Amino acid sequence: MALFEHVQEPAVSPRPEVWAHVSDEDWNSWRWQLANRLNSVDDLARIINLTPEEIEGLQAQDMFRVDITPYFASLLDPNDPYCPIRRQVLPLGREKQAFTGMMEDSLAEDQHSPVPGLVHRYPDRVLMLLTTQCASYCRYCTRSRIVGDPGVTFSKAEFEQQLDYLRQTPQVRDVLLSGGDPLAVAPRILEYILSSLRAIDHIEIIRIGSRVPVFLPQRVTPELVEMLRQYHPLWMNVHINHAKEITPELSQALARLADAGLPLGNQSVLLAGVNDSVDIQTELSHKLVRNRVRPYYLYQCDLVEGSGHFRTTIAKGIEIIEGMRGHTSGYAIPTYVVDAPGGGGKVPVGPQYIISQAPGKVVLRNYEGFISTYIEPDDYDPHMIEHLDRQVSKPREEPGQRGVSGLLRGEALTIKPAGFDDAHRRRTEKHRLNLDTAKWQPHGIGLVNPSITDTGMYGKVDANVSEA
Ligand SMILES: *Cc1c(COP(=O)(O)O)cnc(C)c1O
């Protein structure tokens, strides 16, 4: 049965001529693969016909690290410079071109790190960077400011700082291991981190974000998977951008992980010339779900140095989601997100489906353009749920992160940019009409939370500035 051939047969990808002499034992060894990575014009010219711009990229100084496992290199089309796999790992001269909006740390991760390597941006989850090393390096790496330097990675002392911070931060229930690639870390260290995290009661789930199954499926050995499954609930996100990456070797690695009970997701990056098309994304999604991988996020390419030529418009991402939603299974559709520059976190973006609204009616359109009306109940009582709501354990929250949901919960009426009140005072003294700040606060009549004394989420309205 052709449909399942990847899953059932221990098939292998064809190996280029230059590696014909390598024993199967070496080829299937992750240590051999790592030790024999390709990174120079000489290495790569042996397996593909390099273009002048690729040669320029490989010879350039001060460029982000190049290193490609022989296995992944064997997937490059030797004669097609537009090969989507080739574009992900082979540098081009144009990587050096600056572009408007380019930054070193476009997600302001270092600014949101309470200790080195730990990014705490959201209330209940953190990103924990275990290493700066990867099995191979993606040209559009969002963390190229720290990733790839063979001399600099995180130390044991820094792991201890990260773990200490987590022990003291009970609102964190989800820890996302990333890097670099957490599966590129020595197995003993990875296990030390996993067991240390598991020893922290309030950490409910651990996630691993890894591209090792893609670059180095040989690393996903039965022993590694056996170790990982000791630390459930453990989830894993892989990073596959194009269906051509899903080889028999990767399928087998994914099957091992899924069989060990790790729920698998995929995060891909929308890349010009690699996967910026509805059909390519749909094919990728279909192949992912056949391998028990749920498409999770499709990222808009970050504003990071080196990635200029990979960027698409956001409109392209919206067009892709338009081409998928309704046309294929809901679980095959990723959420398209823009990771907001400056550290705003992931913002989901997609087509609009609400056409219009009136009291009691919502007008919706579907993927076919069929327009329909949902009649809302006129006797819906949102307070009916309150006694059940009180029985639910409340999240361990940090102050100041309720955001727009906080407005809906009635905890505040406005969210103001820093300096808003000062700016609107127009440098004037308080006068008789604006001394009484209670005027622009609700009287509390009929509010869910009548105790609002503060109309702004981030900082009190300074009612008492009136030393004047
Ligand atoms: C992406 C990310 C997370 C996880 O976000 P989810 O939407 O929960 O997958 C957590 N922390 C940081 C800093 C992130 O960038």
Side-chain angles (χ1 to χ4, degrees), residues 355-413:
I355 299 257
S356 198
Q357 272 177 282
K361 290 194 184 78
V362 180
V363 180
L364 304 160
R365 62 103 176 168
N366 80 347
Y367 69 104
E368 298 164 297
F370 176 79
I371 294 177
S372 172
T373 309
Y374 183 87
I375 311 283
E376 296 184 307
D378 54 16
D379 58 353
Y380 169 60
D381 176 6
H383 303 301
M384 242 168 17
I385 197 68
E386 278 168 10
H387 88 280
L388 291 182
D389 234 3
R390 279 190 290 272
Q391 296 166 22
V392 174
S393 59
K394 292 289 175 260
R396 301 173 291 266
E397 279 190 79
E398 292 194 301
Q401 290 214 309
R402 297 294 276 267
V404 177
S405 174
L407 303 183
L408 300 181
R409 287 164 184 257
E411 291 166 3
L413 290 178

Side-chain angles (χ1 to χ4, degrees), residues 109 119 121-122 125-127 174 176 207 296-297 299 339 346:
E109 290 187 325
V119 188
R121 154 146 32 259
Y122 298 103
R125 55 207 187 280
V126 298
L127 188 68
D174 178 358
L176 173 39
R207 288 194 253 178
Y296 182 49
Y297 284 142
Y299 288 97
D339 215 335
K346 300 174 184 74

Side-chain angles (χ1 to χ4, degrees), residues 137-205:
Y137 294 89
C138 312
R139 299 321 303 162
Y140 48 86
C141 179
T142 190
R143 233 164 262 137
S144 52
R145 70 185 186 282
I146 51 173
V147 164
D149 185 338
V152 183
T153 190
F154 296 100
S155 63
K156 176 91 166 70
E158 284 171 332
F159 290 152
E160 294 308 326
Q161 273 185 289
Q162 296 176 345
L163 291 167
D164 275 343
Y165 177 85
L166 291 172
R167 290 185 191 106
Q168 291 158 24
T169 314
Q171 66 268 35
V172 175
R173 41 162 287 286
D174 178 358
V175 175
L176 173 39
L177 302 181
S178 184
D181 199 310
L183 295 186
V185 168
R188 258 181 323 108
I189 298 179
L190 180 60
E191 182 152 24
Y192 170 75
I193 301 283
L194 288 169
S195 59
S196 303
L197 290 172
R198 266 289 155 258
I200 303 174
D201 274 350
H202 57 261
I203 293 176
E204 296 170 7
I205 71 159

Side-chain angles (χ1 to χ4, degrees), residues 93-105:
R94 75 188 84 164
E95 271 181 34
K96 285 179 294 187
Q97 275 169 24
F99 57 89
T100 307
M102 182 177 91
M103 285 174 259
E104 190 182 332
D105 178 7

